[in-house]
mmCIF file of all heavy atoms in Angstrom:
data_model
loop_
_atom_site.group_PDB
_atom_site.id
_atom_site.type_symbol
_atom_site.label_atom_id
_atom_site.label_comp_id
_atom_site.label_asym_id
_atom_site.label_seq_id
_atom_site.Cartn_x
_atom_site.Cartn_y
_atom_site.Cartn_z
ATOM 1 N N ILE B 54 32.084 -1.703 -19.998
ATOM 2 C CA ILE B 54 31.841 -1.784 -18.564
ATOM 3 C C ILE B 54 33.214 -1.739 -17.886
ATOM 4 O O ILE B 54 34.062 -2.607 -18.122
ATOM 5 C CB ILE B 54 31.109 -3.099 -18.191
ATOM 6 C CG1 ILE B 54 29.722 -3.146 -18.820
ATOM 7 C CG2 ILE B 54 31.001 -3.197 -16.680
ATOM 8 C CD1 ILE B 54 28.988 -4.456 -18.637
ATOM 9 N N ILE B 55 33.403 -0.737 -17.033
ATOM 10 C CA ILE B 55 34.704 -0.544 -16.413
ATOM 11 C C ILE B 55 34.756 -1.247 -15.067
ATOM 12 O O ILE B 55 35.755 -1.858 -14.731
ATOM 13 C CB ILE B 55 35.025 0.960 -16.238
ATOM 14 C CG1 ILE B 55 34.878 1.720 -17.559
ATOM 15 C CG2 ILE B 55 36.411 1.132 -15.631
ATOM 16 C CD1 ILE B 55 35.767 1.182 -18.677
ATOM 17 N N ASP B 56 33.691 -1.172 -14.327
ATOM 18 C CA ASP B 56 33.681 -1.739 -12.971
ATOM 19 C C ASP B 56 32.238 -2.150 -12.658
ATOM 20 O O ASP B 56 31.411 -1.292 -12.550
ATOM 21 C CB ASP B 56 34.201 -0.730 -11.955
ATOM 22 C CG ASP B 56 34.292 -1.274 -10.544
ATOM 23 O OD1 ASP B 56 33.772 -2.395 -10.272
ATOM 24 O OD2 ASP B 56 34.879 -0.576 -9.689
ATOM 25 N N GLU B 57 32.036 -3.432 -12.531
ATOM 26 C CA GLU B 57 30.685 -3.920 -12.165
ATOM 27 C C GLU B 57 30.704 -4.659 -10.853
ATOM 28 O O GLU B 57 29.882 -5.519 -10.565
ATOM 29 C CB GLU B 57 30.098 -4.782 -13.285
ATOM 30 C CG GLU B 57 30.942 -5.991 -13.638
ATOM 31 C CD GLU B 57 30.361 -6.795 -14.769
ATOM 32 O OE1 GLU B 57 29.194 -6.563 -15.142
ATOM 33 O OE2 GLU B 57 31.088 -7.663 -15.339
ATOM 34 N N SER B 58 31.660 -4.299 -10.012
ATOM 35 C CA SER B 58 31.881 -5.030 -8.759
ATOM 36 C C SER B 58 30.715 -4.910 -7.792
ATOM 37 O O SER B 58 30.581 -5.722 -6.889
ATOM 38 C CB SER B 58 33.173 -4.556 -8.086
ATOM 39 O OG SER B 58 33.121 -3.189 -7.802
ATOM 40 N N GLY B 59 29.875 -3.899 -7.967
ATOM 41 C CA GLY B 59 28.751 -3.725 -7.041
ATOM 42 C C GLY B 59 27.445 -4.322 -7.560
ATOM 43 O O GLY B 59 26.412 -4.213 -6.917
ATOM 44 N N MET B 60 27.508 -4.910 -8.697
ATOM 45 C CA MET B 60 26.291 -5.419 -9.334
ATOM 46 C C MET B 60 26.089 -6.915 -8.952
ATOM 47 O O MET B 60 27.046 -7.683 -9.023
ATOM 48 C CB MET B 60 26.398 -5.321 -10.832
ATOM 49 C CG MET B 60 25.036 -5.417 -11.503
ATOM 50 S SD MET B 60 24.772 -4.020 -12.533
ATOM 51 C CE MET B 60 25.639 -4.632 -13.923
ATOM 52 N N PRO B 61 24.885 -7.300 -8.575
ATOM 53 C CA PRO B 61 24.639 -8.745 -8.327
ATOM 54 C C PRO B 61 25.008 -9.543 -9.576
ATOM 55 O O PRO B 61 24.838 -9.094 -10.692
ATOM 56 C CB PRO B 61 23.118 -8.784 -8.071
ATOM 57 C CG PRO B 61 22.783 -7.413 -7.578
ATOM 58 C CD PRO B 61 23.678 -6.466 -8.313
ATOM 59 N N LYS B 62 25.524 -10.736 -9.323
ATOM 60 C CA LYS B 62 26.042 -11.539 -10.420
ATOM 61 C C LYS B 62 24.953 -12.046 -11.340
ATOM 62 O O LYS B 62 25.175 -12.274 -12.552
ATOM 63 C CB LYS B 62 26.829 -12.732 -9.853
ATOM 64 C CG LYS B 62 28.101 -12.356 -9.126
ATOM 65 C CD LYS B 62 29.179 -11.921 -10.086
ATOM 66 C CE LYS B 62 30.500 -11.617 -9.399
ATOM 67 N NZ LYS B 62 30.537 -10.363 -8.717
ATOM 68 N N GLU B 63 23.781 -12.234 -10.794
ATOM 69 C CA GLU B 63 22.700 -12.781 -11.601
ATOM 70 C C GLU B 63 21.585 -11.758 -11.746
ATOM 71 O O GLU B 63 21.347 -10.930 -10.888
ATOM 72 C CB GLU B 63 22.147 -14.060 -10.939
ATOM 73 C CG GLU B 63 23.197 -15.162 -10.864
ATOM 74 C CD GLU B 63 22.663 -16.429 -10.215
ATOM 75 O OE1 GLU B 63 21.482 -16.427 -9.772
ATOM 76 O OE2 GLU B 63 23.404 -17.402 -10.141
ATOM 77 N N ARG B 64 20.934 -11.822 -12.841
ATOM 78 C CA ARG B 64 19.721 -11.076 -13.194
ATOM 79 C C ARG B 64 19.958 -9.623 -13.548
ATOM 80 O O ARG B 64 19.102 -8.987 -14.130
ATOM 81 C CB ARG B 64 18.644 -11.148 -12.049
ATOM 82 C CG ARG B 64 18.223 -12.567 -11.704
ATOM 83 C CD ARG B 64 17.023 -12.572 -10.734
ATOM 84 N NE ARG B 64 17.400 -11.928 -9.459
ATOM 85 C CZ ARG B 64 16.951 -10.737 -9.083
ATOM 86 N NH1 ARG B 64 16.150 -10.023 -9.844
ATOM 87 N NH2 ARG B 64 17.317 -10.251 -7.906
ATOM 88 N N PHE B 65 21.088 -9.068 -13.146
ATOM 89 C CA PHE B 65 21.379 -7.645 -13.396
ATOM 90 C C PHE B 65 22.380 -7.500 -14.537
ATOM 91 O O PHE B 65 23.378 -8.245 -14.569
ATOM 92 C CB PHE B 65 21.928 -6.972 -12.154
ATOM 93 C CG PHE B 65 20.911 -6.703 -11.073
ATOM 94 C CD1 PHE B 65 20.393 -7.732 -10.336
ATOM 95 C CD2 PHE B 65 20.481 -5.399 -10.815
ATOM 96 C CE1 PHE B 65 19.450 -7.484 -9.330
ATOM 97 C CE2 PHE B 65 19.563 -5.137 -9.823
ATOM 98 C CZ PHE B 65 19.039 -6.174 -9.070
ATOM 99 N N SER B 66 22.114 -6.544 -15.403
ATOM 100 C CA SER B 66 23.105 -6.196 -16.455
ATOM 101 C C SER B 66 22.987 -4.736 -16.774
ATOM 102 O O SER B 66 21.941 -4.108 -16.497
ATOM 103 C CB SER B 66 22.899 -7.061 -17.678
ATOM 104 O OG SER B 66 21.611 -6.803 -18.236
ATOM 105 N N ALA B 67 24.057 -4.198 -17.340
ATOM 106 C CA ALA B 67 24.063 -2.796 -17.697
ATOM 107 C C ALA B 67 24.820 -2.596 -19.000
ATOM 108 O O ALA B 67 25.739 -3.379 -19.311
ATOM 109 C CB ALA B 67 24.706 -1.948 -16.577
ATOM 110 N N GLU B 68 24.399 -1.601 -19.743
ATOM 111 C CA GLU B 68 25.097 -1.294 -20.965
ATOM 112 C C GLU B 68 25.045 0.220 -21.199
ATOM 113 O O GLU B 68 24.168 0.917 -20.683
ATOM 114 C CB GLU B 68 24.454 -2.023 -22.158
ATOM 115 C CG GLU B 68 23.001 -1.638 -22.407
ATOM 116 C CD GLU B 68 22.478 -2.343 -23.675
ATOM 117 O OE1 GLU B 68 23.104 -3.265 -24.166
ATOM 118 O OE2 GLU B 68 21.368 -1.936 -24.101
ATOM 119 N N PHE B 69 25.983 0.693 -21.993
ATOM 120 C CA PHE B 69 26.037 2.086 -22.374
ATOM 121 C C PHE B 69 26.506 2.094 -23.838
ATOM 122 O O PHE B 69 27.685 2.132 -24.122
ATOM 123 C CB PHE B 69 26.996 2.848 -21.476
ATOM 124 C CG PHE B 69 26.965 4.331 -21.650
ATOM 125 C CD1 PHE B 69 25.946 5.018 -22.299
ATOM 126 C CD2 PHE B 69 28.011 5.104 -21.162
ATOM 127 C CE1 PHE B 69 25.948 6.363 -22.450
ATOM 128 C CE2 PHE B 69 28.025 6.497 -21.295
ATOM 129 C CZ PHE B 69 26.993 7.122 -21.943
ATOM 130 N N PRO B 70 25.566 1.999 -24.748
ATOM 131 C CA PRO B 70 25.924 1.852 -26.156
ATOM 132 C C PRO B 70 26.490 3.131 -26.737
ATOM 133 O O PRO B 70 26.386 4.192 -26.141
ATOM 134 C CB PRO B 70 24.597 1.446 -26.831
ATOM 135 C CG PRO B 70 23.527 2.017 -25.945
ATOM 136 C CD PRO B 70 24.094 1.955 -24.533
ATOM 137 N N LYS B 71 27.062 2.967 -27.930
ATOM 138 C CA LYS B 71 27.670 4.132 -28.602
ATOM 139 C C LYS B 71 26.628 5.214 -28.818
ATOM 140 O O LYS B 71 26.886 6.422 -28.670
ATOM 141 C CB LYS B 71 28.244 3.678 -29.937
ATOM 142 C CG LYS B 71 29.051 4.732 -30.656
ATOM 143 C CD LYS B 71 29.663 4.158 -31.927
ATOM 144 C CE LYS B 71 30.460 5.218 -32.658
ATOM 145 N NZ LYS B 71 31.048 4.663 -33.923
ATOM 146 N N GLU B 72 25.405 4.806 -29.166
ATOM 147 C CA GLU B 72 24.315 5.757 -29.356
ATOM 148 C C GLU B 72 23.221 5.408 -28.362
ATOM 149 O O GLU B 72 22.909 4.233 -28.206
ATOM 150 C CB GLU B 72 23.768 5.683 -30.793
ATOM 151 C CG GLU B 72 24.813 5.999 -31.865
ATOM 152 C CD GLU B 72 25.247 7.451 -31.868
ATOM 153 O OE1 GLU B 72 24.477 8.291 -31.390
ATOM 154 O OE2 GLU B 72 26.336 7.724 -32.358
ATOM 155 N N GLY B 73 22.623 6.409 -27.783
ATOM 156 C CA GLY B 73 21.481 6.153 -26.892
ATOM 157 C C GLY B 73 21.854 6.133 -25.441
ATOM 158 O O GLY B 73 23.025 6.278 -25.059
ATOM 159 N N PRO B 74 20.834 5.938 -24.587
ATOM 160 C CA PRO B 74 21.048 6.027 -23.168
ATOM 161 C C PRO B 74 21.723 4.757 -22.593
ATOM 162 O O PRO B 74 21.800 3.722 -23.260
ATOM 163 C CB PRO B 74 19.642 6.128 -22.612
ATOM 164 C CG PRO B 74 18.795 5.386 -23.589
ATOM 165 C CD PRO B 74 19.425 5.655 -24.923
ATOM 166 N N SER B 75 22.172 4.898 -21.354
ATOM 167 C CA SER B 75 22.601 3.724 -20.630
ATOM 168 C C SER B 75 21.383 2.981 -20.107
ATOM 169 O O SER B 75 20.368 3.599 -19.748
ATOM 170 C CB SER B 75 23.493 4.144 -19.450
ATOM 171 O OG SER B 75 23.846 3.013 -18.658
ATOM 172 N N ILE B 76 21.433 1.688 -20.112
ATOM 173 C CA ILE B 76 20.319 0.866 -19.671
ATOM 174 C C ILE B 76 20.768 -0.051 -18.502
ATOM 175 O O ILE B 76 21.795 -0.698 -18.595
ATOM 176 C CB ILE B 76 19.801 -0.051 -20.782
ATOM 177 C CG1 ILE B 76 19.453 0.729 -22.043
ATOM 178 C CG2 ILE B 76 18.617 -0.901 -20.277
ATOM 179 C CD1 ILE B 76 18.203 1.509 -21.985
ATOM 180 N N LEU B 77 20.000 -0.018 -17.432
ATOM 181 C CA LEU B 77 20.162 -1.011 -16.346
ATOM 182 C C LEU B 77 19.013 -1.970 -16.475
ATOM 183 O O LEU B 77 17.837 -1.557 -16.449
ATOM 184 C CB LEU B 77 20.186 -0.336 -14.991
ATOM 185 C CG LEU B 77 20.353 -1.272 -13.805
ATOM 186 C CD1 LEU B 77 21.711 -1.901 -13.790
ATOM 187 C CD2 LEU B 77 20.108 -0.530 -12.472
ATOM 188 N N ARG B 78 19.305 -3.242 -16.619
ATOM 189 C CA ARG B 78 18.273 -4.228 -16.878
ATOM 190 C C ARG B 78 18.262 -5.231 -15.702
ATOM 191 O O ARG B 78 19.307 -5.721 -15.285
ATOM 192 C CB ARG B 78 18.603 -4.970 -18.175
ATOM 193 C CG ARG B 78 17.628 -5.968 -18.631
ATOM 194 C CD ARG B 78 18.104 -6.579 -19.937
ATOM 195 N NE ARG B 78 17.251 -7.656 -20.402
ATOM 196 C CZ ARG B 78 17.671 -8.674 -21.109
ATOM 197 N NH1 ARG B 78 18.924 -8.738 -21.503
ATOM 198 N NH2 ARG B 78 16.831 -9.612 -21.518
ATOM 199 N N ILE B 79 17.051 -5.465 -15.187
ATOM 200 C CA ILE B 79 16.888 -6.442 -14.120
ATOM 201 C C ILE B 79 15.906 -7.475 -14.609
ATOM 202 O O ILE B 79 14.739 -7.192 -14.875
ATOM 203 C CB ILE B 79 16.368 -5.779 -12.837
ATOM 204 C CG1 ILE B 79 17.162 -4.505 -12.483
ATOM 205 C CG2 ILE B 79 16.446 -6.807 -11.683
ATOM 206 C CD1 ILE B 79 16.591 -3.730 -11.321
ATOM 207 N N GLN B 80 16.394 -8.689 -14.727
ATOM 208 C CA GLN B 80 15.507 -9.777 -15.190
ATOM 209 C C GLN B 80 14.893 -10.479 -13.999
ATOM 210 O O GLN B 80 15.466 -10.542 -12.902
ATOM 211 C CB GLN B 80 16.332 -10.765 -16.005
ATOM 212 C CG GLN B 80 16.910 -10.223 -17.318
ATOM 213 C CD GLN B 80 17.714 -11.221 -18.074
ATOM 214 O OE1 GLN B 80 18.829 -11.558 -17.667
ATOM 215 N NE2 GLN B 80 17.223 -11.702 -19.170
ATOM 216 N N GLN B 81 13.716 -11.019 -14.235
ATOM 217 C CA GLN B 81 13.009 -11.815 -13.213
ATOM 218 C C GLN B 81 13.005 -11.131 -11.864
ATOM 219 O O GLN B 81 13.532 -11.675 -10.859
ATOM 220 C CB GLN B 81 13.633 -13.207 -13.127
ATOM 221 C CG GLN B 81 13.551 -13.956 -14.455
ATOM 222 C CD GLN B 81 14.301 -15.300 -14.392
ATOM 223 O OE1 GLN B 81 15.334 -15.397 -13.757
ATOM 224 N NE2 GLN B 81 13.756 -16.307 -15.052
ATOM 225 N N VAL B 82 12.479 -9.944 -11.796
ATOM 226 C CA VAL B 82 12.571 -9.130 -10.573
ATOM 227 C C VAL B 82 11.908 -9.851 -9.393
ATOM 228 O O VAL B 82 10.963 -10.619 -9.523
ATOM 229 C CB VAL B 82 11.919 -7.739 -10.783
ATOM 230 C CG1 VAL B 82 12.660 -6.955 -11.823
ATOM 231 C CG2 VAL B 82 10.435 -7.860 -11.150
ATOM 232 N N VAL B 83 12.491 -9.567 -8.240
ATOM 233 C CA VAL B 83 11.975 -10.057 -6.964
ATOM 234 C C VAL B 83 11.698 -8.843 -6.076
ATOM 235 O O VAL B 83 12.160 -7.724 -6.336
ATOM 236 C CB VAL B 83 12.962 -11.015 -6.263
ATOM 237 C CG1 VAL B 83 13.252 -12.233 -7.168
ATOM 238 C CG2 VAL B 83 14.280 -10.326 -5.926
ATOM 239 N N ARG B 84 10.957 -9.105 -4.975
ATOM 240 C CA ARG B 84 10.551 -7.982 -4.105
ATOM 241 C C ARG B 84 11.761 -7.229 -3.576
ATOM 242 O O ARG B 84 11.741 -6.009 -3.401
ATOM 243 C CB ARG B 84 9.685 -8.476 -2.967
ATOM 244 C CG ARG B 84 8.306 -8.888 -3.395
ATOM 245 C CD ARG B 84 7.252 -8.406 -2.414
ATOM 246 N NE ARG B 84 5.943 -8.665 -2.980
ATOM 247 C CZ ARG B 84 5.147 -9.660 -2.596
ATOM 248 N NH1 ARG B 84 5.555 -10.488 -1.671
ATOM 249 N NH2 ARG B 84 3.954 -9.818 -3.147
ATOM 250 N N GLY B 85 12.850 -7.944 -3.341
ATOM 251 C CA GLY B 85 14.054 -7.299 -2.796
ATOM 252 C C GLY B 85 14.708 -6.329 -3.758
ATOM 253 O O GLY B 85 15.616 -5.582 -3.364
ATOM 254 N N ASP B 86 14.287 -6.349 -5.026
ATOM 255 C CA ASP B 86 14.833 -5.372 -5.986
ATOM 256 C C ASP B 86 14.155 -4.015 -5.881
ATOM 257 O O ASP B 86 14.608 -3.056 -6.501
ATOM 258 C CB ASP B 86 14.638 -5.911 -7.437
ATOM 259 C CG ASP B 86 15.401 -7.197 -7.693
ATOM 260 O OD1 ASP B 86 16.430 -7.427 -7.030
ATOM 261 O OD2 ASP B 86 14.925 -7.982 -8.531
ATOM 262 N N SER B 87 13.075 -3.929 -5.118
ATOM 263 C CA SER B 87 12.379 -2.666 -4.951
ATOM 264 C C SER B 87 13.339 -1.662 -4.282
ATOM 265 O O SER B 87 13.860 -1.882 -3.188
ATOM 266 C CB SER B 87 11.139 -2.815 -4.065
ATOM 267 O OG SER B 87 10.178 -3.649 -4.685
ATOM 268 N N ALA B 88 13.562 -0.551 -4.938
ATOM 269 C CA ALA B 88 14.532 0.456 -4.463
ATOM 270 C C ALA B 88 14.453 1.642 -5.409
ATOM 271 O O ALA B 88 13.785 1.618 -6.438
ATOM 272 C CB ALA B 88 15.944 -0.129 -4.481
ATOM 273 N N ALA B 89 15.213 2.688 -5.029
ATOM 274 C CA ALA B 89 15.440 3.777 -5.962
ATOM 275 C C ALA B 89 16.767 3.557 -6.635
ATOM 276 O O ALA B 89 17.776 3.293 -5.982
ATOM 277 C CB ALA B 89 15.447 5.120 -5.188
ATOM 278 N N TYR B 90 16.775 3.665 -7.954
ATOM 279 C CA TYR B 90 18.003 3.459 -8.723
ATOM 280 C C TYR B 90 18.401 4.798 -9.309
ATOM 281 O O TYR B 90 17.634 5.438 -10.039
ATOM 282 C CB TYR B 90 17.769 2.426 -9.835
ATOM 283 C CG TYR B 90 17.555 1.049 -9.261
ATOM 284 C CD1 TYR B 90 16.305 0.633 -8.821
ATOM 285 C CD2 TYR B 90 18.603 0.130 -9.195
ATOM 286 C CE1 TYR B 90 16.123 -0.639 -8.293
ATOM 287 C CE2 TYR B 90 18.427 -1.143 -8.673
ATOM 288 C CZ TYR B 90 17.176 -1.506 -8.209
ATOM 289 O OH TYR B 90 16.997 -2.765 -7.684
ATOM 290 N N PHE B 91 19.641 5.228 -8.981
ATOM 291 C CA PHE B 91 20.137 6.492 -9.453
ATOM 292 C C PHE B 91 21.278 6.296 -10.414
ATOM 293 O O PHE B 91 22.132 5.448 -10.264
ATOM 294 C CB PHE B 91 20.664 7.344 -8.253
ATOM 295 C CG PHE B 91 19.563 7.833 -7.368
ATOM 296 C CD1 PHE B 91 19.205 7.157 -6.208
ATOM 297 C CD2 PHE B 91 18.877 9.027 -7.682
ATOM 298 C CE1 PHE B 91 18.164 7.626 -5.404
ATOM 299 C CE2 PHE B 91 17.866 9.479 -6.862
ATOM 300 C CZ PHE B 91 17.504 8.803 -5.738
ATOM 301 N N CYS B 92 21.240 7.139 -11.421
ATOM 302 C CA CYS B 92 22.320 7.200 -12.386
ATOM 303 C C CYS B 92 23.046 8.525 -12.192
ATOM 304 O O CYS B 92 22.445 9.529 -11.834
ATOM 305 C CB CYS B 92 21.713 7.136 -13.791
ATOM 306 S SG CYS B 92 22.842 7.488 -15.146
ATOM 307 N N ALA B 93 24.358 8.481 -12.363
ATOM 308 C CA ALA B 93 25.167 9.708 -12.290
ATOM 309 C C ALA B 93 26.092 9.701 -13.497
ATOM 310 O O ALA B 93 26.402 8.667 -14.081
ATOM 311 C CB ALA B 93 25.974 9.751 -10.988
ATOM 312 N N SER B 94 26.539 10.888 -13.882
ATOM 313 C CA SER B 94 27.492 10.980 -14.958
ATOM 314 C C SER B 94 28.568 11.993 -14.612
ATOM 315 O O SER B 94 28.421 12.822 -13.705
ATOM 316 C CB SER B 94 26.816 11.386 -16.284
ATOM 317 O OG SER B 94 26.389 12.751 -16.269
ATOM 318 N N SER B 95 29.700 11.865 -15.301
ATOM 319 C CA SER B 95 30.794 12.821 -15.082
ATOM 320 C C SER B 95 31.560 12.977 -16.392
ATOM 321 O O SER B 95 31.540 12.090 -17.251
ATOM 322 C CB SER B 95 31.733 12.316 -13.977
ATOM 323 O OG SER B 95 32.483 11.245 -14.387
ATOM 324 N N PRO B 96 32.238 14.131 -16.546
ATOM 325 C CA PRO B 96 32.961 14.310 -17.781
ATOM 326 C C PRO B 96 34.306 13.566 -17.813
ATOM 327 O O PRO B 96 34.807 13.291 -18.854
ATOM 328 C CB PRO B 96 33.206 15.838 -17.790
ATOM 329 C CG PRO B 96 33.199 16.236 -16.350
ATOM 330 C CD PRO B 96 32.228 15.296 -15.662
ATOM 331 N N LEU B 97 34.842 13.288 -16.640
ATOM 332 C CA LEU B 97 36.109 12.584 -16.534
ATOM 333 C C LEU B 97 35.939 11.315 -15.747
ATOM 334 O O LEU B 97 35.092 11.235 -14.842
ATOM 335 C CB LEU B 97 37.177 13.454 -15.842
ATOM 336 C CG LEU B 97 37.584 14.741 -16.569
ATOM 337 C CD1 LEU B 97 38.532 15.531 -15.709
ATOM 338 C CD2 LEU B 97 38.210 14.403 -17.897
ATOM 339 N N GLY B 98 36.719 10.326 -16.013
ATOM 340 C CA GLY B 98 36.609 9.075 -15.291
ATOM 341 C C GLY B 98 37.761 8.934 -14.335
ATOM 342 O O GLY B 98 38.625 9.757 -14.228
ATOM 343 N N SER B 99 37.749 7.814 -13.669
ATOM 344 C CA SER B 99 38.732 7.628 -12.613
ATOM 345 C C SER B 99 40.130 7.424 -13.159
ATOM 346 O O SER B 99 41.091 7.525 -12.421
ATOM 347 C CB SER B 99 38.339 6.420 -11.772
ATOM 348 O OG SER B 99 38.292 5.277 -12.559
ATOM 349 N N ASN B 100 40.272 7.122 -14.408
ATOM 350 C CA ASN B 100 41.592 6.881 -14.957
ATOM 351 C C ASN B 100 42.208 8.122 -15.614
ATOM 352 O O ASN B 100 43.288 8.122 -16.126
ATOM 353 C CB ASN B 100 41.562 5.749 -15.956
ATOM 354 C CG ASN B 100 41.245 4.427 -15.298
ATOM 355 O OD1 ASN B 100 41.700 4.177 -14.155
ATOM 356 N ND2 ASN B 100 40.443 3.616 -15.924
ATOM 357 N N ASP B 101 41.419 9.207 -15.581
ATOM 358 C CA ASP B 101 41.928 10.453 -16.166
ATOM 359 C C ASP B 101 42.666 11.243 -15.121
ATOM 360 O O ASP B 101 42.557 11.011 -13.931
ATOM 361 C CB ASP B 101 40.774 11.273 -16.713
ATOM 362 C CG ASP B 101 40.086 10.582 -17.851
ATOM 363 O OD1 ASP B 101 40.812 10.119 -18.795
ATOM 364 O OD2 ASP B 101 38.849 10.493 -17.847
ATOM 365 N N ARG B 102 43.401 12.212 -15.546
ATOM 366 C CA ARG B 102 44.088 13.110 -14.630
ATOM 367 C C ARG B 102 43.024 13.833 -13.811
ATOM 368 O O ARG B 102 42.055 14.399 -14.347
ATOM 369 C CB ARG B 102 44.933 14.113 -15.409
ATOM 370 C CG ARG B 102 45.893 14.879 -14.560
ATOM 371 C CD ARG B 102 46.791 15.734 -15.455
ATOM 372 N NE ARG B 102 47.774 16.480 -14.683
ATOM 373 C CZ ARG B 102 48.903 15.956 -14.240
ATOM 374 N NH1 ARG B 102 49.184 14.704 -14.526
ATOM 375 N NH2 ARG B 102 49.743 16.670 -13.533
ATOM 376 N N GLY B 103 43.182 13.852 -12.531
ATOM 377 C CA GLY B 103 42.132 14.470 -11.692
ATOM 378 C C GLY B 103 41.060 13.438 -11.367
ATOM 379 O O GLY B 103 41.087 12.311 -11.814
#
Side-chain angles (χ1 to χ4, degrees):
Chain B
I54 297 174
I55 307 302
D56 183 349
E57 57 182 348
S58 60
M60 198 126 83
K62 293 286 185 284
E63 297 180 357
R64 301 188 298 107
F65 285 72
S66 62
E68 63 177 11
F69 189 17
K71 188 176 180 181
E72 301 292 337
S75 175
I76 305 286
L77 180 67
R78 183 179 176 209
I79 312 173
Q80 295 178 288
Q81 299 174 325
V82 295
V83 300
R84 288 223 172 103
D86 297 332
S87 295
Y90 291 83
F91 289 96
C92 169
S94 71
S95 72
L97 296 175
S99 60
N100 293 323
D101 294 312
R102 193 174 182 81

